[in-house]
Amino acid sequence: MCGIVGYIGGGGAKHIIIDGLKRLEYRGYDSAGIALAADGRLAVEKAVGRIANLEARLAEVSAEDSHAGIGHTRWATHGAPSRANAHPHTNADGTIAIVHNGIIENYAELKERLTAEHGVRFRSETDSEAVAHLIGLFYEGDLLAAVNRAARELRGTYSVCAMAAAEPDKIVAVRKDAPLIAGLGENCNFLASDIPALLKYARMIYLIENNETVLVTRNEISIFNEKMEKVKRDVFHVTWDADAAEKGGYDHFMRKEIFEQPAGVAETLNRGSDENGAIKLDGISLTKRDLEHIERVYIVACGTASHAGLVGKFAIERFARIPTEVDIASEFRYREPYINAKTLFICISQSGETLDTLAALREAKSRGARVLSVVNVVGSSVARESDDVFYTRAGPEIAVASTKAFTTQLVCMYLIALYMGRTLGTLPDAEYERVLLELGQLPDKLTLLLEDEPKIRDIAKRIYKNERIFFIGRGNDVSVALEGSLKLKEISYIHSFAIAAGELKHGTIALIEQGSLVIALASQDRLFEKMLSNIEEVKARGARVIGLAKAGNREIEKLADEVIYIPVCADEVTPIPAVVPLQLLAYHVAKLRGCDIDKPKNLAKAVTVE
Ligand code: AGP
């Protein structure tokens, strides 16, 4: 998830592009760069950290103005934040420059071919650099043709803007599964990954569709399909204000990030597979020998991440048959845990900066444990201090309430457990394939699920005045109940409470009275009958029950007052679809209660204090 800006006009490219990049800062980034057409060459400048660092470098080295340029803010996915890894990337002689948003899945193959067959020397760790060399390889004086030719070699997700020193009056862009728009300005034209970047200069825009190539000059924007036939496209008039535009037209970052989950899950799943079809867990070097050496796994995290850990425990014990414990990070190091060199310490953290989690990691490491982390922020403290890092590819998560980071953490835990099971031989190939297939079907199922938002909004209208709400579930639904309850309490300030349904009768049921609201998660086929009994228990004491079950389950309608349905899927993977309606429910309840959804009171996005 990066920010892209392209400009071509009468002058002022440097300032306009920098200004555009600043309007994309909310997307999160760790480095930035710009390429400007000047005096027959491409002047490239990059800097790690804030855009102000890039401006400082520009002030030093390139004072002259320019009429065309491309800029980029990078959210690292391949290669830590550094000037070498920052975009724009160029071909060997710097005559082609590109910026790229997305992930080139076959970059290793391309890199090998470019190096072996064309003697290309790569200067970065990124997947994107391969695109610059590829365009350079096909360039014969026609940038549009070279970009189109190169795009045919790419697999993965990309929106790419390219410039050629020999054609300074053109910018060419191409996209597949990563956002790209083109904006019509006054005597100038724009390209961007997101509307806010160009809103100050252009409100008439073209939405570029998948596999389309765009040629932008000062006076014209031409759109071509895969066959390079010109495409007619209606202009979209942007009426948003700047604040709404930052959220991509959504009212809040949280809702935007809920709706980004199909893409985040897909991108986190798409790690490619190795020669014998096994998942390639980039960043994990655990060999069969290493895994056979492991006697115990600890999964340690905080908040939402710890709920992902509970699902991870289930998956690792089920697929890899290794005893696994989940610990809250703030408790872990004070309980004198049993740790030695045969311990695998898995740490989950969206920010990679949560101090409780970092402290627990350091404790485990000091006692000889092998540390594997699941992190969303590349190059964060947790990532840097781990032996292995397996990145979620959720993109920047801005809202304090974690949503897309959670579902992508779940994907990572499943992939790690599947990898361990397959490597150790404790998981039959057929089971491995079955679960992997189920995971692969989730992005489309999540997209379908999100279309049910109006039903969830209606339920929110009926329940938002409640001051106390119970969440119950069994098996994998316990972690979803905990997560749904946390989402609700942290943004609506309703006192919500989650408990394993079987545990109700050991005390908590004393709180259930006439009118109590209970959200009963019953997605687990093998525990469904048990859940029906628990629903009867609370109904008998006057509770109102909102059930959650797989589509087509009519049984639950006999007992629950209303039912939220999720798409049919295997019990093992239900936490991913099951949490989405609860995220939406929390969002709409909080909205109806007039709460500050993206920045709830007393909370921070990364808790860097103990
Ligand atoms: C979740 O919505 C909260 N923001 C919080 O529980 C969060 O998950 C927790 O603080 C852990 O943060 P981390 O994933 O960045 O380590």
Side-chain angles (χ1 to χ4, degrees):
M1 298 290 277
C2 315
I4 285 180
V5 180
Y7 166 80
I8 192 155
K14 180 167 66 176
H15 300 292
I16 290 171
I17 290 168
I18 290 291
D19 182 44
L21 292 179
K22 283 182 176 174
R23 292 172 190 282
L24 297 179
E25 284 193 310
Y26 67 90
R27 295 167 68 98
Y29 67 99
D30 42 51
S31 54
I34 189 170
L36 296 165
D39 314 324
R41 65 185 186 84
L42 297 176
V44 176
E45 259 319 320
K46 317 181 193 185
V48 175
R50 312 308 295 162
I51 293 168
N53 301 344
L54 175 62
E55 283 185 291
R57 295 190 67 86
L58 281 169
E60 281 163 28
V61 296
S62 44
E64 80 289 339
D65 199 359
S66 168
H67 67 286
I70 51 179
H72 187 268
T73 49
R74 179 173 184 250
W75 169 270
T77 52
H78 288 69
S82 69
R83 283 193 66 222
N85 289 334
H87 301 208
H89 288 292
T90 65
N91 63 335
D93 63 6
T95 54
I96 299 288
I98 67 106
V99 291
H100 164 232
N101 181 6
I103 290 177
I104 304 298
E105 274 166 37
N106 63 328
Y107 87 94
E109 184 190 310
L110 292 170
K111 183 169 180 175
E112 198 178 314
R113 205 173 88 205
L114 287 161
T115 306
E117 295 171 17
H118 303 281
V120 169
R121 285 185 54 255
F122 278 73
R123 292 158 291 191
S124 79
E125 304 161 283
T126 68
D127 54 329
S128 309
E129 186 186 348
V131 181
H133 293 298
L134 210 52
I135 294 172
L137 184 69
F138 296 127
Y139 186 71
E140 295 171 346
D142 179 347
L143 183 61
L144 179 63
V147 169
N148 183 263
R149 176 69 188 78
R152 294 209 293 270
E153 306 278 325
L154 302 179
R155 281 205 314 278
T157 61
Y158 50 85
S159 51
V160 170
C161 288
M163 294 180 78
E167 296 177 274
D169 56 352
K170 285 176 189 170
I171 301 175
V172 175
V174 63
R175 73 148 291 200
K176 178 175 170 293
D177 293 337
L180 183 70
I181 57 175
L184 291 157
E186 287 294 316
N187 210 8
C188 60
N189 286 316
F190 298 84
L191 285 158
S193 46
D194 220 349
I195 286 173
L198 46 71
L199 202 57
K200 182 176 169 187
Y201 310 99
R203 286 187 174 270
M204 305 304 276
I205 66 166
Y206 291 117
L207 301 175
I208 307 306
E209 294 180 12
N210 261 0
N211 302 315
E212 289 183 340
T213 307
V214 199
L215 168 62
V216 179
T217 64
R218 180 175 177 175
N219 303 310
E220 192 177 359
I221 295 175
S222 309
I223 302 171
F224 303 89
N225 63 19
E226 267 182 296
K227 298 193 195 87
M228 291 310 283
E229 298 154 342
K230 249 193 173 183
V231 173
K232 244 192 104 23
R233 179 63 39 81
D234 292 340
V235 172
F236 170 68
H237 180 211
V238 180
T239 56
W240 301 334
D241 63 26
D243 180 50
E246 270 199 11
K247 302 179 183 93
Y250 289 95
D251 293 346
H252 299 95
F253 280 114
M254 182 180 177
R255 183 161 177 271
K256 176 170 178 279
E257 287 155 8
I258 289 172
F259 277 77
E260 285 173 344
Q261 291 182 111
V265 166
E267 203 137 313
T268 303
L269 277 169
N270 290 337
R271 321 233 22 154
S273 48
D274 63 20
E275 53 288 347
N276 48 33
I279 318 155
K280 253 192 328 191
L281 296 196
D282 47 313
I284 295 185
S285 57
L286 282 167
T287 62
K288 177 169 182 164
R289 196 175 133 73
D290 294 336
L291 289 171
E292 283 165 343
H293 182 65
I294 299 291
E295 281 178 355
R296 164 199 306 260
V297 176
Y298 286 116
I299 302 177
V300 177
C302 302
T304 289
S306 70
H307 302 152
L310 291 170
V311 176
K313 166 189 165 67
F314 154 79
I316 291 174
E317 291 194 335
R318 172 78 185 278
F319 300 148
R321 314 305 294 159
I322 301 176
T324 302
E325 286 182 54
V326 178
D327 270 85
I328 298 294
S330 52
E331 289 296 311
F332 180 74
R333 61 196 174 108
Y334 298 112
R335 68 173 186 78
E336 290 297 308
Y338 181 83
I339 299 174
N340 61 20
K342 296 184 176 179
T343 303
L344 175 62
F345 180 92
I346 298 180
C347 163
I348 306 175
S349 176
Q350 187 286 129
S351 63
E353 299 302 340
T354 300
L355 193 53
D356 284 331
T357 307
L358 198 52
L361 179 160
R362 289 168 179 160
E363 176 73 16
K365 207 165 178 179
S366 69
R367 297 174 177 223
R370 172 83 179 250
V371 176
L372 159 59
S373 294
V374 174
V375 179
N376 196 40
V377 180
V378 175
S380 56
S381 304
V382 165
R384 285 199 309 275
E385 298 188 28
S386 301
D387 299 308
D388 289 301
V389 187
F390 194 48
Y391 285 110
T392 49
R393 291 178 176 167
E397 188 175 68
I398 311 295
V400 166
S402 190
T403 51
K404 60 178 184 174
F406 177 68
T407 44
T408 52
Q409 286 163 355
L410 293 179
V411 169
C412 286
M413 292 315 294
Y414 285 123
L415 292 180
I416 290 168
L418 286 167
Y419 170 81
M420 292 166 81
R422 184 186 176 112
T423 308
L424 288 168
T426 50
L427 181 66
D429 284 355
E431 269 296 277
Y432 172 87
E433 298 300 342
R434 178 182 67 82
V435 178
L436 214 49
L437 183 68
E438 285 280 349
L439 289 169
Q441 293 169 346
L442 287 179
D444 289 344
K445 291 182 177 178
L446 294 184
T447 302
L448 269 179
L449 196 48
L450 290 164
E451 289 170 8
D452 284 348
E453 183 185 27
K455 293 178 195 158
I456 303 296
R457 191 169 43 228
D458 289 345
I459 293 176
K461 285 177 188 159
R462 290 192 282 278
I463 71 169
Y464 79 97
K465 290 188 176 132
N466 276 274
E467 289 309 326
R468 191 167 66 164
I469 297 179
F470 296 86
F471 288 76
I472 64 172
R474 282 177 176 262
N476 260 332
D477 282 337
V478 175
S479 48
V480 180
L482 287 164
E483 178 55 16
S485 173
L486 176 61
K487 282 295 96 44
L488 187 66
K489 75 175 66 150
E490 67 177 326
I491 64 172
S492 73
Y493 314 139
I494 287 174
H495 185 102
S496 71
F497 177 79
I499 187 169
E503 189 60 11
L504 265 173
K505 56 188 174 295
H506 300 288
T508 303
I509 201 159
L511 294 177
I512 303 295
E513 57 194 13
Q514 190 58 39
S516 295
L517 177 57
V518 176
I519 296 177
L521 311 182
S523 79
Q524 307 290 285
D525 296 338
R526 62 191 182 85
L527 296 166
F528 180 71
E529 293 306 322
K530 290 276 185 197
M531 271 310 292
L532 284 185
S533 312
N534 296 129
I535 292 172
E536 280 188 283
E537 269 171 25
V538 295
K539 289 288 291 176
R541 289 157 178 84
R544 191 162 167 278
V545 173
I546 297 174
L548 181 143
K550 288 176 187 168
N553 180 326
R554 293 287 164 256
E555 194 67 18
I556 193 166
E557 290 177 356
K558 296 173 188 164
L559 276 175
D561 298 279
E562 46 193 320
V563 182
I564 296 170
Y565 284 106
I566 64 171
V568 173
C569 59
D571 277 8
E572 292 91 341
V573 302
T574 57
I576 295 179
V579 75
V580 173
L582 305 185
Q583 295 167 344
L584 287 170
L585 188 62
Y587 172 81
H588 285 291
V589 166
K591 194 172 182 184
L592 287 163
R593 291 170 70 100
C595 299
D596 181 350
I597 291 170
D598 285 335
K599 297 191 181 73
K601 69 181 181 193
N602 308 337
L603 298 180
K605 184 59 185 166
V607 183
T608 52
V609 293
E610 275 206 277

